[in-house]
Amino acid sequence: MEQKKRVIALGFFDGVHRGHGALLSRVAQVAQEMGATPAAVTFDTHPENLIIGSPMPLISSPLDRAELMRRYYGIQEVIIAHFDDRMMHMPWRDFVTDFLIRENGAVHLVAGHDFHFGYKGEGNPERLKTVCAEMGIGCDIIPKVELDGITISSTYIRTLLAQGEMERANYFLGHPHTLTDTVAHGKKLGTTLGFPTVNLHFAPGVLIPARGVYATRVCFENGDSRPAVTNIGVRPTVDDHGSVNVEGFILDFDGDLYGQTIRMEFYRHLRGEQKFPSLEALRDEVMRNAEQTREYFATHP
């Protein structure tokens, strides 16, 4: 059977920001011209975790990364390669000729100006262009992308998220920061207070944004969505175990979402995490945050 032809974007694509978007848009364009499948190759863990030996927090999980590429840029296939010792020591030429071309049917490759690959990062854009020409396939190298004089990078966006600067982070991402998870059972405190909530968790290794309350939107499996007030933190008023969780109060909604997979989109940091003197004070503040959230989405449709 003839192997599928793929136009492939190369990179880690953490967060799938506007810089990545330049690569992915080019892939979609070339794939349409060639009658090929628009695809991207990424890794299940950040290469620096293995190369340097220190954990690199991720902006988004592999699941969210793949979904963002599909939803915003029309990438039909996301090939998530396992980054292990074999991959780390693979010669740069073999990565192109064996892994990308022979194993995955690449007929055109697209990479960023700073893309390095193969053993010790010896592969670079110039070498990529050379070996593609030798193998008779196309290659595009995309220059750096800037906004407001700042080079768009995952490192800069991580800093913004850690500081709670959600709107600026979204500006550089080109889409709302996203968390997709299956709704878990919580302590049903929200129901007790009069506002049922959903409990989500960031996947291990994924950066947790600054603690506090956010204006968010929750998107359901059926395509519907609702605004929500979401707290990231340890719930100091009602809990003392110290573990961070994500708890969203969905506005104007009454239903059972346990076991469903939902997507939460973060838009604005409303306030920092704080401990209230009573549950009544907490409820009053959540109601105030609900009004802030309604106002936000009324002015940002």
Side-chain angles (χ1 to χ4, degrees):
M1 187 165 66
E2 187 177 355
Q3 187 181 40
K4 181 184 288 188
K5 297 190 302 179
R6 295 182 175 94
V7 178
I8 299 177
L10 303 176
F12 189 61
F13 302 110
D14 191 17
V16 192
H17 56 60
R18 291 186 185 213
H20 300 140
L23 276 72
L24 300 169
S25 296
R26 177 60 180 162
V27 163
Q29 177 190 353
V30 175
Q32 186 176 28
E33 293 170 355
M34 298 184 71
T37 300
V41 163
T42 185
F43 298 104
D44 57 353
T45 184
H46 200 291
E48 289 189 15
N49 289 352
L50 197 58
I51 295 169
I52 300 177
S54 59
M56 170 69 72
L58 304 177
I59 294 172
S60 50
S61 68
L63 170 68
D64 275 321
R65 229 182 305 152
E67 176 57 24
L68 288 166
M69 284 191 262
R70 292 188 184 102
R71 189 176 344 127
Y72 289 104
Y73 298 104
I75 300 301
Q76 293 177 15
E77 293 186 2
V78 179
I79 302 161
I80 301 178
H82 178 45
F83 194 86
D84 54 10
D85 195 67
R86 170 184 167 271
M87 182 65 73
M88 183 172 69
H89 288 90
M90 184 181 291
W92 68 268
R93 182 179 286 271
D94 291 355
F95 178 75
V96 180
T97 58
D98 295 351
F99 179 69
L100 295 175
I101 298 177
R102 294 193 180 99
E103 288 184 33
N104 288 293
V107 293
H108 192 106
L109 297 174
V110 181
H113 67 100
D114 57 353
F115 182 66
H116 284 73
F117 57 97
Y119 182 55
K120 292 185 177 179
E122 291 175 346
N124 57 36
E126 285 304 314
R127 284 181 161 175
L128 182 64
K129 288 170 66 176
T130 298
V131 74
C132 283
E134 291 172 3
M135 299 294 291
I137 72 169
C139 180
D140 285 313
I141 303 300
I142 306 299
K144 69 179 180 180
V145 180
E146 293 184 344
L147 272 179
D148 301 337
I150 298 172
T151 300
I152 302 173
S153 72
S154 297
T155 300
Y156 180 59
I157 293 168
R158 282 189 204 101
T159 300
L160 295 173
L161 292 172
Q163 294 172 348
E165 297 183 50
M166 191 59 67
E167 288 175 291
R168 185 160 178 81
N170 289 349
Y171 175 56
F172 280 84
L173 285 168
H175 56 79
H177 181 50
T178 297
L179 165 63
T180 302
D181 193 23
T182 301
V183 178
H185 282 279
K187 295 189 175 181
K188 301 188 184 302
L189 176 72
T191 302
T192 303
L193 293 175
F195 40 84
T197 59
V198 290
N199 291 272
L200 306 176
H201 301 89
F202 285 98
V206 174
L207 174 74
I208 298 174
R211 294 182 186 181
V213 175
Y214 292 83
T216 62
R217 181 171 288 280
V218 171
C219 304
F220 308 128
E221 291 178 344
N222 64 5
D224 195 10
S225 69
R226 291 285 190 281
V229 176
T230 298
N231 182 74
I232 297 177
V234 298
R235 305 190 300 182
T237 306
V238 298
D239 227 333
D240 58 5
H241 58 64
S243 63
V244 175
N245 73 331
V246 181
E247 191 170 25
F249 162 36
I250 306 175
L251 307 184
D252 308 317
F253 177 80
D254 183 19
D256 185 2
L257 295 172
Y258 291 123
Q260 289 195 34
T261 299
I262 64 173
R263 183 176 76 250
M264 181 171 283
E265 299 176 343
F266 293 82
Y267 286 87
R268 174 179 282 178
H269 187 250
L270 299 176
R271 63 171 172 85
E273 187 175 45
Q274 61 189 104
K275 185 170 184 176
F276 293 91
S278 66
L279 292 181
E280 289 73 21
L282 170 60
R283 182 192 296 113
D284 290 344
E285 180 63 15
V286 171
M287 291 300 104
R288 190 179 75 86
N289 298 148
E291 288 310 307
Q292 291 175 308
T293 298
R294 293 184 205 278
E295 290 172 9
Y296 176 83
F297 287 112
T299 55
H300 298 78

